[in-house]
Amino acid sequence: MTYTINTKRDQVVSIQDGNTSIPIASANSEYQSVLDTIIAEGPDCFDGDIPEDLQAAADAKASANSE
């Protein structure tokens, strides 16, 4: 699986997974799945670099899960 980023005026607005656009919203289950994939696979799951905010959210989730 390879995610890409959709941007608008240089801001990340959603994550693209094939034909599905996933909003950047912590309550969204698909967004949480993206974070889980980042935790499990690292940067290989993205086409290009993982945006810093998204990586920070994945790191925070991984840290919370390890407690």
Side-chain angles (χ1 to χ4, degrees):
M1 170 181 333
T2 302
Y3 297 111
T4 56
I5 296 297
N6 294 322
T7 59
K8 187 174 186 177
R9 293 183 214 126
D10 295 328
Q11 285 197 7
V12 175
V13 294
S14 65
I15 303 160
Q16 194 71 30
D17 179 16
N19 292 331
T20 304
S21 182
I22 303 166
I24 306 295
S26 61
N28 184 295
S29 62
E30 291 176 330
Y31 174 77
Q32 291 300 317
S33 292
V34 171
L35 297 182
D36 292 338
T37 303
I38 292 170
I39 293 166
E41 298 179 23
D44 292 339
C45 66
F46 263 83
D47 182 19
D49 295 330
I50 299 173
E52 290 179 23
D53 292 349
L54 195 55
Q55 183 64 60
D59 294 344
K61 182 174 183 175
S63 178
N65 289 341
S66 69
E67 294 177 357

